[in-house]
Amino acid sequence: MFEFELPDLGEGVAEGEVLEWHVAVGDTVTEDQVLAEVETDKAAVDVPSPVDGVVRELHAEAGDVVQTGELLVTIEEDGEREAAESGATETASEEASADETTTDAAPTVTTGDGRVFAAPSVRRLAREEGVDITAVEGSGPGGRVTEADVEAAAEAAENDDGPTSVVSKISDDEDDGPTSVVSRVGDDGESPTDDEAQAVKSAVRKVSAAEPMAERRERTLATPATRRLARELDVDIDAVPTDETRDGEPYVDEAAVRSFAEAEAAEVTDEDVREVTEAVVSEMQSIADEAAESTTAVEAAEGDRREPYRGVRRAIGEQMTRSRREVPHATHHDKVAVPGLVEARDRLQPLAEERGVHLTYTPFLLKCVAAALDDHPILASQLDAENEEIVYKADRNVGVAAATDHGLVVPVVEDVDEKGLLELATEVNDLVDRARSRDIAREEMQGGTFTVTNFGTIGGEYADPVINVPETAILGVGALKERPVAEDGEVVAKPTLTLSLAIDHRVIDGADAARFVNTLKEYLADPTRLLLE
């Protein structure tokens, strides 16, 4: 087994983060095949395999930080290579002796099996420059071959009229980004072979396709953690301003990256936000639509009962699904003491009965809601997404949610602000009765601009009501009962109502919701205020 340790990836580099594995356990690899991409504080580099064989174990996962010299991967070498191990040293010695007798080059520093000590980046540089790395004397620690050694060898070869490596670089005044085109010219002037071209391409790092920034650097030092943060924040680390240096090179830390990201975010326009929001909402809606279309059969056991899901129940379900899918709900909860409301209803109820009208709290509630909507018209609005407009409705048509045996229905009481209490009471009672007997027309459940659901008549204090789209708000009212209230430093029992106002957060802000509820509370606490309107 060949135990491959993380090699020296550059002078002064002590560790690297495994960005991505290009092989898995059981894969067959060849010498120089890329095993993994590792990022240091200076660059992201490809780590090639030093031998032919089969990967038996990966000793790190993507995201792990591995120290230089720490075990990275175990490779089982090919049988042929194992058989040749015994003669490797002798062959290497003979080749070195032959080189000494025929050239002036210094002896190479190799491992026991004839391999050269050199970092992957140095090997790539040698391939780019057309330099035989086995013929280069290493000047680094332990005889390692450095980039300077390869560059010196390439320069010496050029002076000897040997093959020349010509790298085309884009000039500063051209429009496009840096190119990755490297042309190799030999003595015969022929184009590089496919193998040579592939080797060159793998040695050239791809750069961003975006237009280069005026202040963008070509090289920046940063720790792997900082580079990971830059990727998460979508920050070009070479564009982050810095006055710090390490070994004469610009250095960027996490604080600088975060500061730059915040500055970039501050420059985001409303149009940017709108485009991103629309894209996210569209994607979420697509996911929801796919989920809605994928139905799963439900197994029924003995004793279970089935009934058709259709008619009103299905229409309600589809409406509620659409509301939750399209509308970002936010709910504002509050409580109000209403002794004035109770007193007003108790005083007027006998007079209403004399006229044959059963007066509940609902007409009072509708009148208070209509008055509050006049003060805060944003709550009586609809969103026209197609035309990108908010429509402020002039009519005070309020829907009254009613529980029936066949589901929740919402008859609409039109022009609440123009009708008296007795007229409203008569109309509400008639609509609800006909809704429960299924004798209500479809048109009588359309055209609402705001909805009230009084779940307190059944039980409960607070809820999270679902908006009746295309409306942008719905008020849920809890049970009317005595609750403890602080008054003049003492706790007293008073009749109170609990309020749950759900809003479409695309149109209505939380502050608008709070102001509306505050106004509504004033009217509910003292309904005689309506006489001033």
Side-chain angles (χ1 to χ4, degrees):
M1 293 290 183
F2 183 82
E3 303 290 341
F4 183 41
E5 301 173 350
L6 182 66
D8 183 0
L9 301 177
E11 297 180 9
V13 175
E15 64 182 20
E17 177 188 349
V18 179
L19 294 181
E20 179 183 7
W21 280 105
H22 293 281
V23 296
V25 174
D27 286 356
T28 299
V29 296
T30 58
E31 186 175 1
D32 286 337
Q33 178 180 336
V34 175
L35 299 176
E37 184 178 11
V38 177
E39 184 180 54
T40 70
D41 61 352
K42 294 184 178 180
V45 299
D46 293 333
V47 177
S49 172
V51 297
D52 298 335
V54 178
V55 176
R56 292 305 179 198
E57 185 176 1
L58 304 179
H59 296 278
E61 298 182 355
D64 289 350
V65 176
V66 181
Q67 303 295 317
T68 299
E70 187 176 340
L71 188 58
L72 186 65
V73 58
T74 299
I75 301 174
E76 182 181 1
E77 298 183 76
D78 289 348
E80 294 181 2
R81 187 172 183 82
E82 293 175 356
E85 287 289 341
S86 59
T89 303
E90 182 180 353
T91 301
S93 301
E94 291 174 355
E95 291 177 352
S97 299
D99 289 342
E100 289 179 13
T101 58
T102 57
T103 69
D104 294 333
T108 57
V109 178
T110 64
T111 63
D113 57 3
R115 291 190 294 273
V116 176
F117 279 119
S121 58
V122 176
R123 293 177 182 273
R124 287 200 301 272
L125 178 61
R127 289 196 294 269
E128 291 177 27
E129 299 291 350
V131 172
D132 181 4
I133 198 169
T134 62
V136 179
E137 179 182 6
S139 62
R144 290 184 182 274
V145 177
T146 66
E147 293 184 2
D149 298 332
V150 172
E151 292 172 352
E155 185 177 353
E158 289 177 3
N159 293 335
D160 291 338
D161 296 327
T164 303
S165 173
V166 180
V167 182
S168 65
K169 296 182 178 178
I170 191 163
S171 63
D172 294 336
D173 56 351
E174 293 189 34
D175 293 333
D176 296 331
T179 66
S180 59
V181 180
V182 182
S183 59
R184 196 179 206 171
V185 183
D187 292 337
D188 54 4
E190 295 182 355
S191 300
T193 65
D194 291 342
D195 291 341
E196 290 172 336
Q198 185 61 37
V200 170
K201 290 177 182 177
S202 66
V204 180
R205 291 288 297 170
K206 292 182 179 179
V207 297
S208 171
E211 295 183 3
M213 299 175 62
E215 300 181 0
R216 189 180 188 277
R217 297 179 295 276
E218 294 183 358
R219 180 183 177 88
T220 301
L221 301 186
T223 64
T226 300
R227 292 184 182 277
R228 182 167 57 250
L229 176 64
R231 290 195 300 273
E232 293 173 355
L233 298 179
D234 195 22
V235 167
D236 181 356
I237 201 165
D238 292 321
V240 177
T242 181
D243 294 328
E244 293 189 48
T245 60
R246 294 287 189 277
D247 299 327
E249 296 284 354
Y251 176 81
V252 169
D253 58 15
E254 293 187 25
V257 171
R258 292 185 186 278
S259 177
F260 183 76
E262 292 174 359
E264 289 286 298
E267 298 177 0
V268 175
T269 64
D270 291 343
E271 181 67 16
D272 295 331
V273 174
R274 186 184 66 80
E275 291 180 359
V276 172
T277 302
E278 288 180 353
V280 172
V281 170
S282 177
E283 180 66 19
M284 292 177 65
Q285 183 167 339
S286 297
I287 294 173
D289 289 342
E290 292 177 3
E293 292 174 0
S294 59
T295 57
T296 303
V298 177
E299 297 293 335
E302 184 178 355
D304 295 343
R305 180 172 61 86
R306 286 180 178 269
E307 63 179 33
Y309 177 62
R310 61 192 180 203
V312 175
R313 171 53 59 192
R314 181 167 182 172
I316 293 171
E318 292 174 349
Q319 180 77 346
M320 296 300 100
T321 300
R322 175 193 170 194
S323 179
R324 281 299 189 184
R325 182 179 65 237
E326 296 181 359
V327 178
H329 283 61
T331 305
H332 178 85
H333 298 289
D334 210 333
K335 180 174 64 175
V336 56
V338 290
L341 174 63
V342 173
E343 181 183 350
R345 189 256 182 180
D346 290 344
R347 187 170 62 252
L348 296 176
Q349 171 62 13
L351 299 177
E353 288 182 350
E354 291 178 1
R355 303 183 186 186
V357 178
H358 177 58
L359 184 61
T360 66
Y361 288 105
T362 299
F364 291 92
L365 178 61
L366 296 184
K367 291 293 290 185
C368 292
V369 165
L373 289 176
D374 286 339
D375 293 335
H376 306 278
I378 187 62
L379 273 293
S381 63
Q382 295 180 1
L383 177 62
D384 184 349
E386 182 175 350
N387 294 310
E388 297 184 347
E389 294 177 341
I390 299 173
V391 180
Y392 290 78
K393 306 297 290 185
D395 297 330
R396 297 295 174 254
N397 302 336
V398 181
V400 180
T404 70
D405 293 339
H406 49 281
L408 185 71
V409 296
V410 186
V412 175
V413 182
E414 297 181 351
D415 303 321
V416 171
D417 56 330
E418 298 177 3
K419 297 174 180 177
L421 288 175
L422 293 182
E423 184 179 2
L424 285 176
T426 302
E427 186 172 345
V428 168
N429 294 340
D430 175 62
L431 287 171
V432 172
D433 288 342
R434 288 192 291 112
R436 288 172 177 165
S437 62
R438 300 193 182 189
D439 189 28
I440 190 170
R442 181 180 181 87
E443 293 76 15
E444 293 178 294
M445 295 187 292
Q446 297 176 334
T449 57
F450 188 93
T451 296
V452 173
T453 175
N454 187 3
F455 54 83
T457 57
I458 300 174
E461 294 193 343
Y462 296 100
D464 185 16
V466 180
I467 297 171
N468 188 21
V469 291
E471 298 170 17
T472 55
I474 180 172
L475 177 69
V477 182
L480 172 61
K481 63 181 182 180
E482 286 193 339
R483 295 180 176 88
V485 176
E487 186 177 81
D488 297 330
E490 296 182 356
V491 177
V492 297
K494 286 192 174 184
T496 58
L497 281 175
T498 53
L499 308 173
S500 300
L501 176 68
I503 59 171
D504 182 342
H505 225 323
R506 297 174 301 176
V507 178
I508 304 170
D509 293 331
D512 294 324
R515 295 188 188 102
F516 171 83
V517 171
N518 288 341
T519 300
L520 178 61
K521 287 167 58 179
E522 292 176 355
Y523 286 121
L524 289 172
D526 183 10
T528 59
R529 292 172 57 93
L530 295 173
L531 299 175
L532 298 176
E533 303 300 327

